[in-house]
């Protein structure tokens, strides 16, 4: 695995790879790798000749009171894991390399960013879109892999490549979980010991919703309130949101039908967790 820290060097490599007729699979991450990230690499290896992973904690997608400074980082461990997983090139630029000058442009994600995490984290998806435009332009992948753990991000990036005509196939990858159902996340390390067990409530509430739907429940609000009741009864977490939308256009729905996204975000002492499930009704 080669580690590349500058945009120029990454662009030169890409040019050579393309000349050689290689297909490129891209896995953008913020590092502190876990099995979720490594599953994206596995999928990328199946579809593309060359796998490029980026590790970049993007300041633009963090709000002023969010965890940019304390976001977990361990580049040596990440290098080892990425190498073992079969990444060919690890693109690892510093913030001053990616944002050499203050950005004169601001991209605003409308509609898709007004709900779920977007309404809790104003500006977050604007920052995600900006960095992905940069990364897509630098890496020029044929395929880009994104986890369904961040379903709203999948919706945003799918729309981004469509509306800005990037010739990139977005490949969504199912959420990888711990044995007890907790979705793997770099931020799980911030759960206090006594919160770790409770953290499964989010996944369990999604399963509860699935059970209700399978049993014929069609009332969105009833399902949401059952999920909230469950979370409140079984944990100390506070609820940011529990919502149900169409997927991938994230429109509200009254009666449940078609492909729906059930998503939730909850807060513990030092960490905010998200999870979701899509169900075809
Ligand atoms: P992050 O480093 O958190 O920005 O995540 C980088 C990529 O890994 C994103 O596409 C995430 O959706 C994906 N990802 C994170 N956690 C998981 C997981 N538990 N299962 C599958 N994909 C994941």
């Amino acid at each position: 695995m080669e580690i590349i820290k500058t945009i120029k060097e990454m662009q030169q490599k890409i040019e050579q790879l393309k000349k050689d007729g290689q297909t490129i699979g891209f896995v953008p991450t913020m590092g502190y790798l876990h099995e979720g990230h490594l599953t994206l690499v596995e999928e990328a290896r199946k579809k593309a000749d060359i796998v490029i992973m980026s590790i970049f904690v993007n300041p633009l997608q963090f709000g002023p009171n969010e965890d940019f400074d304390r976001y977990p980082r361990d580049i040596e461990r990440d290098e080892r894991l990425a190498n073992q997983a079969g990444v060919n090139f690890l693109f690892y630029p510093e913030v001053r390399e990616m944002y050499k000058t203050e950005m004169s442009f601001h991209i605003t994600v409308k509609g898709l960013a007004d709900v779920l995490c977007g309404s809790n984290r104003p500006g977050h998806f604007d920052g995600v879109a900006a960095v992905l435009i940069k990364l897509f332009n630098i890496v020029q992948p044929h395929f880009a892999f994104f986890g369904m753990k961040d379903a709203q991000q999948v919706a945003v990036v799918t729309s981004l490549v469509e509306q800005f005509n990037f010739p990139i196939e977005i490949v969504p990858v199912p959420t990888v979980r711990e044995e007890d159902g907790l979705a793997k996340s770099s931020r799980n390390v911030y759960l206090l010991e006594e919160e770790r067990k409770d953290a499964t409530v989010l996944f369990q509430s999604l399963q509860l919703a699935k059970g209700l739907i399978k049993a014929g429940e069609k009332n969105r609000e009833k399902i949401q309130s059952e999920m909230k009741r469950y979370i409140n009864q079984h944990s100390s977490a506070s609820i940011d949101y529990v919502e149900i939308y169409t997927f991938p256009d994230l429109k509200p729905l009254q009666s449940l039908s078609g492909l729906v996204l059930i998503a939730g975000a909850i807060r513990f002492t030092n960490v905010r967790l998200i999870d979701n499930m899509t169900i075809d009704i």
Side-chain angles (χ1 to χ4, degrees):
M1 183 180 79
E2 239 182 277
I3 297 166
I4 297 184
K5 294 188 140 192
T6 68
I7 293 169
K8 192 152 187 228
E9 200 191 336
M10 190 74 254
Q11 286 172 321
Q12 285 164 349
K13 292 281 176 203
I14 300 293
E15 202 182 323
Q16 190 57 49
L17 291 167
K18 292 222 161 160
K19 258 191 209 145
D20 296 344
Q22 307 272 38
T23 56
I24 295 168
F26 180 42
V27 179
T29 81
M30 298 202 297
Y32 212 70
L33 302 179
H34 54 68
E35 262 174 63
H37 301 112
L38 303 178
T39 304
L40 300 185
V41 173
E42 215 174 285
E43 293 306 310
R45 288 184 65 186
K46 285 186 204 156
K47 275 190 96 99
D49 301 323
I50 298 292
V51 178
I52 300 182
M53 173 188 275
S54 62
I55 294 184
F56 182 62
V57 185
N58 172 35
L60 291 194
Q61 71 192 63
F62 288 78
N65 298 316
E66 291 185 356
D67 57 350
F68 175 74
D69 287 327
R70 65 179 188 97
Y71 195 82
R73 294 163 168 93
D74 186 345
I75 190 64
E76 277 166 27
R77 180 170 162 275
D78 285 353
E79 279 177 28
R80 203 172 55 245
L81 291 175
N83 189 20
Q84 283 165 4
V87 170
N88 301 99
F89 295 93
L90 182 63
F91 181 48
Y92 176 55
E94 289 189 14
V95 171
R96 63 172 182 266
E97 173 69 7
M98 283 294 274
Y99 301 110
K100 281 190 177 122
T101 52
E102 197 183 327
M103 293 289 276
S104 316
F105 301 90
H106 180 100
I107 184 136
T108 305
V109 184
K110 292 200 287 185
L112 289 175
D114 295 341
V115 297
L116 303 169
C117 289
S119 55
N120 280 244
R121 303 183 68 189
H124 168 68
F125 287 106
D126 301 350
V128 169
V131 80
L132 286 178
I133 291 172
K134 284 171 74 72
L135 289 169
F136 287 166
N137 278 325
I138 296 164
V139 176
Q140 297 178 31
H142 298 87
F143 309 98
F145 298 80
F146 290 86
M148 278 301 286
K149 155 93 185 338
D150 301 281
Q152 190 170 14
Q153 177 168 269
V154 170
V156 168
V157 69
T158 302
S159 166
L160 180 82
V161 297
E162 245 170 59
Q163 294 182 10
F164 285 94
N165 309 98
F166 284 102
I168 301 173
E169 182 187 329
I170 300 302
V171 184
V173 177
T175 302
V176 178
R177 299 177 179 283
E178 303 286 355
E179 256 173 38
D180 62 3
L182 175 67
K184 296 215 180 212
S185 164
S186 307
R187 290 186 169 103
N188 288 349
V189 292
Y190 291 127
L191 285 164
L192 303 180
E193 211 178 314
E194 61 270 26
E195 291 171 341
R196 170 59 189 85
K197 223 167 118 240
D198 280 7
T200 55
V201 282
L202 188 50
F203 176 62
Q204 284 159 0
S205 74
L206 292 167
Q207 284 191 310
L208 173 81
K210 190 176 175 183
L212 289 170
I213 290 168
K214 295 264 179 250
E217 181 59 66
K218 292 252 177 210
N219 184 320
R220 179 181 56 90
E221 279 181 10
K222 173 129 191 266
I223 295 167
Q224 289 173 179
S225 66
E226 287 294 318
M227 290 175 73
K228 286 182 185 165
R229 200 171 53 85
Y230 185 89
I231 293 167
N232 286 330
Q233 259 177 13
H234 293 90
S235 76
S236 59
S238 64
I239 299 173
D240 262 10
Y241 66 78
V242 170
E243 285 167 20
I244 304 180
Y245 287 100
T246 60
F247 188 80
D249 37 356
L250 308 185
K251 292 272 191 312
L253 30 68
Q254 280 314 316
S255 171
L256 298 181
S257 64
L259 188 58
V260 302
L261 174 73
I262 310 174
I266 61 175
R267 276 179 203 273
F268 286 96
T269 311
N270 295 319
V271 64
R272 175 180 177 277
L273 302 180
I274 59 170
D275 202 351
N276 71 81
M277 211 176 251
T278 47
I279 304 181
D280 206 356
I281 304 171

